[in-house]
Amino acid sequence: MLYNPISNYPDSIDPMIFFQDISLTQTEVMDTYNQLILQGKYSEATDYISDQHGIYGYFADYFNAIENRIYHLQEYLLTVEPYRPFVSSEAEPADIDNETIWI
């Protein structure tokens, strides 16, 4: 698999996903991959492209990695206490501690 589908968030930042254009030496690989896709052989195409080295793109493992990162971010955000830096109040500023920001 070209991309790690497991997210490390929030314990650490996930590595940036790298993209590149294919070179002339890789066009045969991409032609084979695209032919498999056109034939509806999606699993075979995924296995084929995963076995290749130095080819990066919008393949199934990329979308799985993005989906997993979004899932972990959502899971983390549900556990975080909301940060509320602004307080709306009718009280005078002198009655409140100095850390409160008024809007």
Side-chain angles (χ1 to χ4, degrees), residues 85-89 100-103:
F86 301 103
V87 176
S88 178
S89 174
T100 305
I101 300 171
W102 295 90
I103 58 171

Side-chain angles (χ1 to χ4, degrees), residues 18-83:
F18 175 74
F19 283 97
Q20 71 181 33
D21 289 333
I22 63 167
S23 68
L24 290 174
T25 60
Q26 298 166 325
T27 55
E28 185 178 319
V29 172
M30 291 308 299
D31 288 342
T32 302
Y33 173 78
N34 288 329
Q35 284 302 316
L36 290 169
I37 293 293
L38 289 173
Q39 295 170 18
K41 300 178 180 178
Y42 305 111
S43 295
E44 191 176 328
T46 299
D47 292 341
Y48 174 76
I49 205 68
S50 294
D51 291 338
Q52 306 304 314
H53 299 285
I55 296 181
Y56 303 91
Y58 296 106
F59 305 118
D61 53 351
Y62 167 76
F63 292 112
N64 288 340
I66 296 297
E67 181 181 38
N68 193 276
R69 290 177 183 189
I70 291 169
Y71 173 78
H72 278 273
L73 177 60
Q74 289 173 334
E75 199 172 58
Y76 171 74
L77 291 175
L78 288 173
T79 65
V80 175
E81 188 67 30
Y83 176 67

